[in-house]
Amino acid sequence: MKALAQWAMSGRWQATVAAGLCLALPLLFWIGAALLALVILRQGWREGSSVVLWALLPAIAWFAMGDPTPLIIAVGTSALAVMLRQTIRLDQVVMLAVIPGVVAYFLLPLWLSEVLPQVIQSSEQMIAEALSAQPELLAQIQPLVAPMISGVLAALHTLVFMLCLLLGRYWQSELYNPGGFGTEFKQLRLPLAYSVPAVAMMLLAGQLSPELAGLMPVFTVPLMLAGMALFHGVVTTTNASSAWILSVYLALFLFGPYMYTLLIFVALLDSGLNLRARLKDTAGE
């Protein structure tokens, strides 16, 4: 994929063709979004806007045919790339990623009005059958089903926004500043001003209104990414084997919800204690 990114950056029409073709293919839209992020990060919005607007045409066509995902991912990733280009602060952009995520939370039920209600109805039926002997618990959970499904779907879009942005940033580093992305990502750490309210929202989701509780998954995505960045940073700081990183990703794949929750609380701990700095001090002693 690095060769594709290099070819895309050789000229404006190459970038437009590469991103546009990827956005036209259902399973490759994320590569198209990452290419748009690369163009914006390298050239800025003023120079890259024409590439973005022309490359979005296939995504708009998919939207017209009933699939909004390529357009949502491309637009959301491009917006985050503009923010990163302006702020040059990955931690700020990771937190700001919840903004397009919240927008997706409210728009996806409208854009997926034929599919999403069927998914919600099937889920409600399964939960009703599973909790038929516990009517009180069922009464508490039932109102949360639809908002939480929309929230998880929006959180997945938010995660893809960030992964596409990070891929574009990685390409930019490989092509123009080798090694820069690794250093930047391993230093990712969120402030307590974000981490504490996000975790509190997660813990108190059952006490919130269903619509507000549904937003909870979106706000956990930055924490999960910060937790992954911490593991990468700790492995580098301690000169540990890269097998530890592989084991973290494998655990995330095999024990998804449990590992995801662990990453969230690890990121919260790092926000307050700055674990990487403490490890450096310990190593220095």
Side-chain angles (χ1 to χ4, degrees):
M1 288 195 294
K2 179 182 174 182
L4 175 62
Q6 190 169 17
W7 182 76
M9 293 306 294
S10 62
R12 184 173 297 179
W13 75 266
Q14 289 93 331
T16 304
V17 169
L21 284 177
C22 289
L23 287 170
L25 299 173
L27 298 180
L28 297 181
F29 65 86
W30 54 277
I31 298 179
L35 287 171
L36 294 181
L38 171 61
V39 170
I40 294 171
L41 289 171
R42 181 61 180 173
Q43 299 180 351
W45 174 251
R46 181 173 298 180
E47 295 293 327
S49 58
S50 61
V51 173
V52 174
L53 295 176
W54 281 108
L56 283 179
L57 291 178
I60 295 172
W62 278 113
F63 178 82
M65 290 186 288
D67 184 2
T69 298
L71 182 61
I72 295 173
I73 297 302
V75 171
T77 302
S78 298
L80 293 178
V82 172
M83 296 177 193
L84 184 56
R85 166 86 179 188
Q86 294 296 323
T87 63
I88 321 178
R89 289 283 303 275
L90 185 59
D91 57 339
Q92 290 184 4
V93 175
V94 168
M95 292 184 287
L96 289 172
V98 302
I99 296 176
V102 170
V103 173
Y105 172 77
F106 289 107
L107 292 182
L108 283 172
L110 301 177
W111 288 342
L112 299 176
S113 57
E114 296 183 1
V115 178
L116 199 56
Q118 297 177 11
V119 175
I120 292 172
Q121 184 178 6
S122 299
S123 301
E124 288 176 341
Q125 290 177 352
M126 291 175 58
I127 293 173
E129 293 174 2
L131 299 177
S132 58
Q134 300 173 278
E136 293 183 359
L137 181 59
L138 178 61
Q140 294 177 355
I141 293 179
Q142 200 79 11
L144 294 172
V145 175
M148 290 303 294
I149 290 176
S150 297
V152 169
L153 192 58
L156 286 174
H157 281 74
T158 305
L159 179 60
V160 177
F161 293 152
M162 280 307 310
L163 293 179
C164 290
L165 177 67
L166 292 175
L167 179 57
R169 190 66 157 178
Y170 169 76
W171 283 337
Q172 182 189 26
S173 171
E174 287 295 298
L175 294 176
Y176 307 106
N177 181 29
F181 171 77
T183 302
E184 183 180 36
F185 181 69
K186 292 169 188 175
Q187 293 175 348
L188 176 62
R189 175 172 167 262
L190 301 182
L192 281 171
Y194 180 89
S195 300
V196 171
V199 172
M201 183 179 183
M202 182 180 72
L203 296 175
L204 299 174
Q207 310 300 320
L208 304 173
S209 67
E211 291 75 17
L212 189 57
L215 286 170
M216 180 270 294
V218 175
F219 285 87
T220 63
V221 173
L223 288 167
M224 187 277 289
L225 290 172
M228 291 302 303
L230 174 63
F231 277 107
H232 279 271
V234 168
V235 167
T236 300
T237 301
T238 59
N239 294 318
S241 169
S242 58
W244 285 103
I245 292 296
L246 180 62
S247 65
V248 171
Y249 282 100
L250 185 61
L252 186 60
F253 176 76
L254 295 176
F255 312 106
Y258 306 104
M259 192 62 188
Y260 190 96
T261 304
L262 175 63
L263 289 171
I264 289 172
F265 283 101
V266 165
L268 173 64
L269 192 64
D270 185 45
S271 293
L273 299 179
N274 195 354
L275 298 176
R276 275 158 291 203
R278 290 174 179 268
L279 284 172
K280 283 183 180 179
D281 293 340
T282 302
E285 294 175 0

